[in-house]
Amino acid sequence: MRLVIARCSVDYAGRLTAHLPSAPRLILVKADGSVSIHADDRAYKPLNWMSPPCTLKEGSGDEAGVWTVVNKAGEKLIITMEEVLHDSSHELGIDPGLIKDGVEAHLQELLADRIETLGDGYTLIRREYMTAIGPVDILCRDASGATVAVEIKRRGEIDGVEQLTRYLELLNRDPHLAPVRGVFAAQEIKPQARVLATDRGMDCVVLDYNALRGIEDDKLRLF
């Protein structure tokens, strides 16, 4: 990743035009080719950016200090440097990805080991069933042989329901698995998440972490 802090102006020319007047800004050039322009006052969201695939050309001669970023659609991001305050490159390597909360990961392990707690006749297909957008926590079959995708959270909120919805859309495209229904499982499920999950035909399961560990009465409450 290349980090450049510079006083610069930025012009975008494509489906629309946009102009950022001269000011100190952070420019990120990532290994995937993307270029993004950041200010110091709006968290992670860039002021402007060009997504990959795109090419970056740094000007020379009369065009020295002018960066031109062009994407495959021919749109241009033109960065005019007035003063470079910092310019460094760093090799970050391959990111290991998000590691789940320890309790959440353990819940997945325990439920996979005791999959029959979801209902009589349930059988495990596998944990971390990979899809094009990430792994489904648990893929299993119910007593009728139908495929069930289980998304596990420590706290069940709307974003978890949306995540399971995306998984189900992909899984139901596979004729070897379809039809696939969803189970949204968490230690606590927010009311709004429960309403949305139910509206989308998902079952909601409240997980008792201690019970799954065998410390208390071994029960799941299915709503």
Side-chain angles (χ1 to χ4, degrees), residues 136-173:
V136 177
D137 286 333
I138 292 177
L139 197 69
C140 57
R141 296 194 188 277
D142 64 17
S144 69
T147 310
V148 181
V150 185
E151 180 64 26
I152 300 172
K153 299 293 184 186
R154 187 169 60 86
R155 179 177 298 166
E157 300 186 11
I158 283 177
D159 58 349
V161 178
E162 295 289 0
Q163 184 179 0
L164 180 55
T165 299
R166 292 191 293 271
Y167 288 145
L168 290 172
E169 288 175 353
L170 280 178
L171 292 169
N172 274 298
R173 297 176 191 173

Side-chain angles (χ1 to χ4, degrees), residues 35-189:
V35 178
S36 55
I37 317 296
H38 297 260
D40 202 21
D41 65 347
R42 56 197 67 209
Y44 63 90
K45 188 174 182 180
L47 298 165
N48 214 325
W49 68 94
M50 192 70 82
S51 300
C54 57
T55 58
L56 167 62
K57 180 180 178 181
E58 298 185 42
S60 59
D62 293 340
E63 296 294 319
V66 178
W67 290 13
T68 303
V69 187
V70 184
N71 67 12
K72 63 180 181 180
E75 298 168 317
K76 293 183 179 180
L77 190 66
I78 301 170
I79 307 168
T80 303
M81 310 282 190
E82 297 171 16
E83 181 184 9
V84 176
L85 305 173
H86 175 85
D87 188 346
S88 64
S89 296
H90 308 270
E91 181 60 52
L92 302 185
I94 299 174
D95 192 90
L98 181 66
I99 298 175
K100 293 194 172 204
D101 174 89
V103 172
E104 189 174 303
H106 198 204
L107 279 170
Q108 182 196 114
E109 180 182 347
L110 289 169
L111 187 57
D113 188 53
R114 304 182 183 185
I115 197 66
E116 69 281 356
T117 54
L118 289 177
D120 292 337
Y122 271 71
T123 57
L124 179 68
I125 296 175
R126 68 168 298 168
R127 291 172 54 197
E128 299 286 335
Y129 186 90
M130 186 57 64
T131 74
I133 58 172
V136 177
D137 286 333
I138 292 177
L139 197 69
C140 57
R141 296 194 188 277
D142 64 17
S144 69
T147 310
V148 181
V150 185
E151 180 64 26
I152 300 172
K153 299 293 184 186
R154 187 169 60 86
R155 179 177 298 166
E157 300 186 11
I158 283 177
D159 58 349
V161 178
E162 295 289 0
Q163 184 179 0
L164 180 55
T165 299
R166 292 191 293 271
Y167 288 145
L168 290 172
E169 288 175 353
L170 280 178
L171 292 169
N172 274 298
R173 297 176 191 173
D174 186 339
H176 299 292
L177 297 175
V180 184
R181 64 181 181 86
V183 170
F184 188 52
Q187 288 181 282
E188 173 192 2
I189 299 178

Side-chain angles (χ1 to χ4, degrees), residues 20-33:
L20 292 171
S22 177
R25 297 189 175 95
L26 169 65
I27 304 165
L28 298 181
V29 183
K30 294 187 178 181
D32 63 3

Side-chain angles (χ1 to χ4, degrees), residues 107 111 114 116-119 150 154 183-189 194 198 202-212 216-223:
L107 279 170
L111 187 57
R114 304 182 183 185
E116 69 281 356
T117 54
L118 289 177
V150 185
R154 187 169 60 86
V183 170
F184 188 52
Q187 288 181 282
E188 173 192 2
I189 299 178
R194 185 185 299 280
T198 302
M202 303 171 186
D203 290 331
C204 291
V205 175
V206 176
L207 299 173
D208 187 325
Y209 182 57
N210 288 329
L212 279 173
E216 296 179 356
D217 189 29
D218 191 13
K219 291 182 180 177
L220 287 175
R221 295 185 296 278
L222 181 60
F223 297 88

